[in-house]
Structure formats: structure tokens, C-alpha cells
Amino acid sequence: MVCVILLYQILGLSSIPGLIVMVLLLPVNIGFAFGFGRAQKKIMAATDQRIHTTNEILQNIRIIKYFAWEKRFSKVINEKRQAELKALRGKYIIWSFAVAVWNTVPVAITFFSFMVYTLVEKKPLYPSVAFTAISLFGILRVPLDQLGDMIAHVNESSVSIDRVEEFLNEEETEKYEQLAHENIDESGEETIGFENGCFSWASKQEIVAEGASPAFRLMDLDIKFAVGKLNIIAGPTGSGKTSLLMALLGEMSCITGKV
């Protein structure tokens, strides 16, 4: 504001075209800021997928080595990384355009102000006027640059806050309610197992939203484990042995039935 007032005192009405250019380019800066926000969301999502896949592979590295699946899973991680790099590349392309605009704005403001001062108002551009105005435009450039940076950084912070908020607003797990009650059946005996149970890795909100969730399900479970004795769950890879135990621990969403 101080720079604008001083410019008006030095250039008079000729300072107005430069200020108009500055105001017109403000929506462009805001557009770049929102572009940064969208790019940041894509980067976060791609990073999440890569980290999730990497952790899964590290946790199961023994099985991967046993079956010699290194190349296959290496390819999976590389694909996730390529998606992440693509998102990062998109962000920095937007950033390069934004930097070009931010560096061009002070030059454009100076050019239009001096053009109106000399060609429209027909005033001589003395060194005392020109250099003072250029110095003021240079001072004005810093807050203009920082304004664009600040909008971008605030937008990135907003993306992070939204992600935390989304996580905190997720559907609450029912496992504590499920495991809290005494496990007594109709005959009054202690029991561990399932009664007409159906379980899914998708949340109930996702199942309702999609109608028929494509996530893996365990269906029609009627099992009673022998309490205090050895119980063995056997089956081929991918048949749902781990999921069965996870459902018993309340880690899967209970669609129907009882645990």
C-alpha cells in the first residue's frame, strides 16, 4: 500500500495501468494456487499407495523370496513410483509457469506505467522519476512474489489438514464393542466363533455407497472354536485364513451376523 501511494505521487495517473495489470493477474495467481492444491492431493495419494505397497512387500518379504516373486513385486513398486513421479512432475510444471508469471508481473507493471506516462500523458521520463519508480516497483515485487508463494503454501497446508480431518472422520471401528461382551452362547457356555457372519475389508459406508462392494468378503461363517484347545485353520494361499482371524479380532467390517 505504501508503494502504491508513493508511485501515485511520482507517476500520477500513469501508475493506475500498472495497478490494473497487477489486479488482473491476481486471479491467475489464485488459479496457480488451486492447481498446487490439486497436484498436492495427487502426490499424497500416489505416495500413500507406494508406501502401502512397499510396507506390504517388506512385511511379506520371506514369502516373496520363497516363491521368487521379486521381479513381479519390483515392477509393482516401480509402477507406483512412476505414478508418484508423474504427479510430482505435474506440480513442478505448474510451479514453473507460476514463477514465470510472478517474475513477469513487475516488468509488465513497469512497462505499462511508463508507456502511459510517456505516450498518453506526453510527459518526459526524467531519470529521477524513472529510477525512483523502478525502485518502488522493485520493492512492490517482493510482496507480489510472496503473495503467490503464501497462497500456494496455505493451499498445500489445507490439503494436509483435509487429509487428517478425513482420517479422523472415518467410520469408528466396532471391534471394541465386539470384543467387550462376555462370549456366552445360548446354553450358557463360553464360546469363540461366528454366528451367520459376513465380513468385508470395505467399510460399511463404502458398501452402502457402492451398493455391492467389490472388496474381499467372508460369507456364511458358522464356526465354533474349541475353547482352551488347539484349533488349526488350514487352506491354500489366498483362501482367507488370515482374514478369518482378522474378522475374529474385529479388524474386518461385520456386515451381518455375530462374532
Side-chain angles (χ1 to χ4, degrees):
M1 291 303 297
V2 171
C3 282
V4 168
I5 292 167
L6 292 174
L7 281 169
Y8 184 78
Q9 289 179 351
I10 293 168
L11 297 176
L13 294 175
S14 298
S15 61
I16 294 174
L19 299 175
I20 290 171
V21 172
M22 187 170 67
V23 171
L24 289 175
L25 285 172
L26 193 60
V28 176
N29 286 339
I30 294 171
F32 281 131
F34 283 113
F36 289 137
R38 288 191 293 270
Q40 191 70 12
K41 283 183 180 177
K42 290 181 180 177
I43 292 168
M44 292 284 194
T47 303
D48 283 349
Q49 289 184 354
R50 178 180 60 80
I51 291 172
H52 175 74
T53 304
T54 305
N55 287 340
E56 201 171 285
I57 289 170
L58 290 173
Q59 287 169 8
N60 298 283
I61 193 69
R62 185 180 296 176
I63 296 170
I64 292 168
K65 296 297 287 184
Y66 281 163
F67 288 95
W69 286 342
E70 295 96 328
K71 288 185 178 179
R72 179 184 172 186
F73 281 95
S74 175
K75 183 181 177 183
V76 171
I77 290 181
N78 286 332
E79 286 174 357
K80 303 291 184 186
R81 179 60 179 160
Q82 286 302 319
E84 186 181 14
L85 288 173
K86 184 179 178 182
L88 282 165
R89 197 176 295 115
K91 177 186 175 181
Y92 286 113
I93 287 171
I94 296 171
W95 187 268
S96 63
F97 280 111
V99 169
V101 169
W102 294 336
N103 288 327
T104 305
V105 167
V107 178
I109 292 171
T110 309
F111 171 76
F112 282 108
S113 294
F114 285 170
M115 184 177 72
V116 172
Y117 188 82
T118 54
L119 298 180
V120 178
E121 293 194 44
K122 305 292 184 181
K123 293 180 180 178
L125 189 62
Y126 294 115
S128 57
V129 174
F131 288 118
T132 306
I134 288 171
S135 297
L136 288 170
F137 281 128
I139 294 170
L140 193 61
R141 175 179 180 170
V142 176
L144 282 174
D145 285 350
Q146 290 184 346
L147 176 66
D149 281 346
M150 188 58 63
I151 292 171
H153 291 316
V154 167
N155 217 329
E156 287 181 358
S157 303
S158 175
V159 170
S160 300
I161 291 168
D162 288 344
R163 282 166 56 82
V164 173
E165 187 176 9
E166 183 182 350
F167 173 74
L168 293 175
N169 287 333
E170 279 186 359
E171 186 181 4
E172 293 293 337
T173 178
E174 297 176 354
K175 69 179 180 180
Y176 299 109
E177 296 176 13
Q178 178 179 304
L179 301 174
H181 59 80
E182 293 183 4
N183 299 312
I184 306 296
D185 62 8
E186 294 80 4
S187 59
E189 295 181 0
E190 187 178 7
T191 181
I192 298 174
F194 304 95
E195 186 179 301
N196 193 28
C198 180
F199 302 88
S200 174
W201 284 113
S203 67
K204 287 185 177 179
Q205 290 177 348
E206 291 172 341
I207 293 166
V208 171
E210 296 177 14
S213 174
F216 178 84
R217 287 190 183 189
L218 291 173
M219 302 172 70
D220 303 325
L221 293 181
D222 276 302
I223 304 171
K224 284 191 176 181
F225 295 102
V227 179
K229 296 183 179 179
L230 177 64
N231 296 269
I232 296 174
I233 302 171
T237 303
S239 62
K241 300 185 297 297
T242 304
S243 296
L244 185 72
L245 293 173
M246 290 297 180
L248 192 65
L249 292 170
E251 297 293 343
M252 294 182 74
S253 299
C254 183
I255 302 167
T256 58
K258 186 179 176 184
V259 182

